[in-house]
Amino acid sequence: MEFRKSTYSANAQACVEVATPARAGAAIRDTKHRDLGALSFPSPEWQAFLSTAQSDQP
């Protein structure tokens, strides 16, 4: 699984990374604790998160 950081991350040492694997959904992990693994979310939950985050933008 290939993780990436947001281009909006001001501090590359203190952010989360996201991966969108071939299967539906997404996984996120903390850049400070990569060894602890990732949280996986099914597609409907990930899409709901993205919709809410985008609607909260100024």
Side-chain angles (χ1 to χ4, degrees), residues 6-47:
S6 170
T7 56
Y8 292 101
S9 294
N11 182 351
Q13 298 301 317
C15 60
V16 295
E17 297 173 318
V18 66
T20 49
R23 63 186 194 284
I28 60 170
R29 69 180 180 186
D30 185 340
T31 56
K32 289 183 180 179
H33 302 286
R34 291 181 177 122
D35 56 318
L36 296 178
L39 295 173
S40 296
F41 298 93
S43 187
E45 291 176 6
W46 185 246
Q47 291 302 320

